Amino acid sequence: MKPTHEQKQLLDETAQQFTQVFNAVCAYGWQHGEKNGVRLHHATYYELREAYPRLNANVLIQARIKATEALKSAFDRKAKDRKARQPQSKLCPIRYNERTYVLNWQIQEVSLSTINGRILVPFKVPPYSSKYVGYQVTTADLCISNGRYWLHVVVSVPDPNIPRHDEVIGVDLGLNRPAVTSNRHFLGSRHWKEIERRRFRLRRKLQSKGTKSAKRHLKKVSGRSLRFHRDCDHVLSKRIVQNATSGSTIVIENLTHIRSTSKIRKKTETSRRLHNWSFAQFHSFLIYKAQERGMQVVKIDPRHTSQTCSQCGHQHRSNRKSQSLFLCKHCGYCLNADLNAAYNIRNKHLASLGISLASGSPSDGLASQASA
């Protein structure tokens, strides 16, 4: 967005009040152990409405909704880790809905609610987002960073008219190899892990130094790391979709609680990388990219996918000889361990549909098997 100097001041003040409301609801919810949105609304709305009379009522409610989402996530973490802290933001992005902003695609201008009424701000759509211009808008988040103003707009895109395809692709996600698919694609770049190691060593060095300049540098490094992980998730999800047939089904493991269920030893590099794994973000990217090509994304139970032989079904933890080698103790079937897991992920989904498949085949074209 390209606001004037006066508009920037209004947006900054609105963002500050929005953040104060967000933090106040978070503080109340944390102190009272409350994460229910309705009860939080009744407990905080009237007091906050009186404290911030210039803030639009709908904008204030959106701050409470954001706080409710943050509290639910924090209480979930607290149930698994006693070190979880109260949610708090230094500058929370303002969330707008259809009552508090109006976006005009034709003249590229947006009307935003502020503490001093509505303002009209011109904007420019980045080239990589131009394909979404003209679609119906839903909510939007105003993000302010380093003097720049971005409006992250959510648009409603109709499902594409693409016929369903019988192809089912299993995807094994991992820390060493980012993604391996059952149609024999090894995706992701190995240098990602080295970049992570280098940034971790730099963060540890800056944390031990503890000076003001080190803290400033640490903040920049943290921002780069977040953007790097986001870019990796975009690249990986895009590659998976590109290597699948339009209208097919992509099957991945449900890794929602992987941090709490993992048996990886703590204070190791693998454990550190596991806790930095942004699975939910990757999953959200994969879903919307798949939807654009008429694909379905399905999650299955991840248990024993790396220990089971995709050829004969024999399961034992000793079947996996190393990180990259799978050798079945029963039938002697040998292949890459991640590829074997991808076959098992695909087969689990097919079994739930009542379809049987000879797992070791190099092709995933299932039209003939599904119709048999």
Side-chain angles (χ1 to χ4, degrees), residues 266-319:
K266 294 183 178 181
K267 297 184 179 179
T268 62
E269 181 186 352
T270 305
S271 174
R272 172 177 57 80
R273 295 184 65 220
L274 177 66
H275 282 269
N276 288 331
W277 194 1
S278 51
F279 174 72
Q281 176 177 266
F282 166 80
H283 183 238
S284 66
F285 291 170
L286 181 64
I287 283 180
Y288 88 77
K289 286 179 171 64
Q291 285 177 339
E292 289 180 332
R293 296 189 60 195
M295 299 177 184
Q296 181 183 11
V297 178
V298 178
K299 291 196 285 189
I300 57 102
D301 187 343
R303 285 178 292 184
H304 310 307
T305 53
S306 63
Q307 300 174 5
T308 303
C309 176
S310 59
Q311 187 73 14
C312 70
H314 175 68
Q315 178 205 323
H316 199 277
R317 67 172 56 187
S318 64
N319 281 346

Side-chain angles (χ1 to χ4, degrees), residues 123-294:
F123 65 86
K124 182 179 179 182
V125 180
Y128 54 82
S129 298
S130 59
K131 61 182 178 180
Y132 300 114
V133 170
Y135 283 115
Q136 179 184 352
V137 299
T138 56
T139 60
D141 283 72
L142 175 66
C143 301
I144 304 173
S145 176
N146 298 322
R148 303 181 72 182
Y149 296 76
W150 299 86
L151 193 65
H152 293 183
V153 181
V154 180
V155 296
S156 180
V157 181
D159 291 334
N161 187 20
I162 297 175
R164 299 299 302 168
H165 194 279
D166 291 325
E167 183 180 50
V168 176
I169 298 174
V171 181
D172 179 61
L173 303 172
L175 298 174
N176 193 53
R177 290 185 182 273
V180 178
T181 69
S182 60
N183 55 354
R184 299 173 182 265
H185 290 285
F186 291 73
L187 305 174
S189 178
R190 293 203 171 193
H191 85 278
W192 289 352
K193 186 162 67 173
E194 182 51 40
I195 291 175
E196 272 191 34
R197 283 199 192 111
R198 189 164 65 244
R199 288 211 171 120
F200 171 72
R201 290 194 292 265
L202 177 59
R203 284 198 303 269
R204 186 170 56 184
K205 183 179 178 181
L206 292 171
Q207 286 169 348
S208 63
K209 197 170 182 180
T211 62
K212 288 185 178 180
S213 60
K215 290 178 180 178
R216 285 197 301 269
H217 193 180
L218 184 62
K219 188 176 181 180
K220 290 181 180 179
V221 171
S222 298
R224 289 194 200 104
S225 295
L226 287 173
R227 291 191 295 274
F228 172 73
H229 284 293
R230 187 178 181 86
D231 181 67
C232 290
D233 288 340
H234 270 302
V235 170
L236 196 59
S237 55
K238 183 178 180 180
R239 295 290 179 267
I240 291 172
V241 170
Q242 284 177 337
N243 286 287
T245 306
S246 297
S248 60
T249 300
I250 297 173
V251 188
I252 61 175
E253 296 171 296
N254 186 357
L255 303 177
T256 304
H257 302 294
I258 185 65
R259 293 177 180 86
S260 58
T261 58
S262 172
K263 296 181 181 178
I264 297 173
R265 288 183 300 171
K266 294 183 178 181
K267 297 184 179 179
T268 62
E269 181 186 352
T270 305
S271 174
R272 172 177 57 80
R273 295 184 65 220
L274 177 66
H275 282 269
N276 288 331
W277 194 1
S278 51
F279 174 72
Q281 176 177 266
F282 166 80
H283 183 238
S284 66
F285 291 170
L286 181 64
I287 283 180
Y288 88 77
K289 286 179 171 64
Q291 285 177 339
E292 289 180 332
R293 296 189 60 195

Side-chain angles (χ1 to χ4, degrees), residues 13-213:
E13 292 175 18
T14 305
Q16 289 171 6
Q17 292 197 18
F18 186 91
T19 303
Q20 290 165 4
V21 172
F22 172 87
N23 288 335
V25 176
C26 285
Y28 177 89
W30 190 258
Q31 292 167 9
H32 294 81
E34 183 60 74
K35 59 181 180 181
N36 179 276
V38 175
R39 288 194 287 269
L40 284 171
H41 176 82
H42 289 305
T44 62
Y45 175 77
Y46 295 104
E47 183 178 341
L48 291 172
R49 192 80 187 91
E50 187 177 345
Y52 301 94
R54 299 176 65 195
L55 195 63
N56 180 282
N58 276 293
V59 174
L60 187 144
I61 289 173
Q62 291 302 315
R64 193 268 304 160
I65 292 173
K66 270 201 159 187
T68 303
E69 294 168 356
L71 285 166
K72 287 179 180 178
S73 179
F75 282 123
D76 285 344
R77 288 196 303 271
K78 187 179 181 181
K80 304 167 192 173
D81 181 4
R82 295 179 181 178
K83 295 181 180 178
R85 296 179 180 179
Q86 171 188 319
Q88 192 170 10
S89 175
K90 291 182 179 178
L91 188 63
C92 184
I94 305 172
R95 178 176 294 172
Y96 289 100
N97 61 13
E98 65 277 2
R99 296 182 180 181
T100 52
Y101 90 113
V102 178
L103 187 141
N104 190 315
W105 290 116
Q106 282 70 38
I107 62 175
Q108 295 201 347
E109 193 174 61
V110 60
S111 169
L112 297 172
S113 177
T114 70
I115 56 172
N116 194 27
R118 295 267 185 152
I119 59 172
L120 291 172
V121 184
F123 65 86
K124 182 179 179 182
V125 180
Y128 54 82
S129 298
S130 59
K131 61 182 178 180
Y132 300 114
V133 170
Y135 283 115
Q136 179 184 352
V137 299
T138 56
T139 60
D141 283 72
L142 175 66
C143 301
I144 304 173
S145 176
N146 298 322
R148 303 181 72 182
Y149 296 76
W150 299 86
L151 193 65
H152 293 183
V153 181
V154 180
V155 296
S156 180
V157 181
D159 291 334
N161 187 20
I162 297 175
R164 299 299 302 168
H165 194 279
D166 291 325
E167 183 180 50
V168 176
I169 298 174
V171 181
D172 179 61
L173 303 172
L175 298 174
N176 193 53
R177 290 185 182 273
V180 178
T181 69
S182 60
N183 55 354
R184 299 173 182 265
H185 290 285
F186 291 73
L187 305 174
S189 178
R190 293 203 171 193
H191 85 278
W192 289 352
K193 186 162 67 173
E194 182 51 40
I195 291 175
E196 272 191 34
R197 283 199 192 111
R198 189 164 65 244
R199 288 211 171 120
F200 171 72
R201 290 194 292 265
L202 177 59
R203 284 198 303 269
R204 186 170 56 184
K205 183 179 178 181
L206 292 171
Q207 286 169 348
S208 63
K209 197 170 182 180
T211 62
K212 288 185 178 180
S213 60

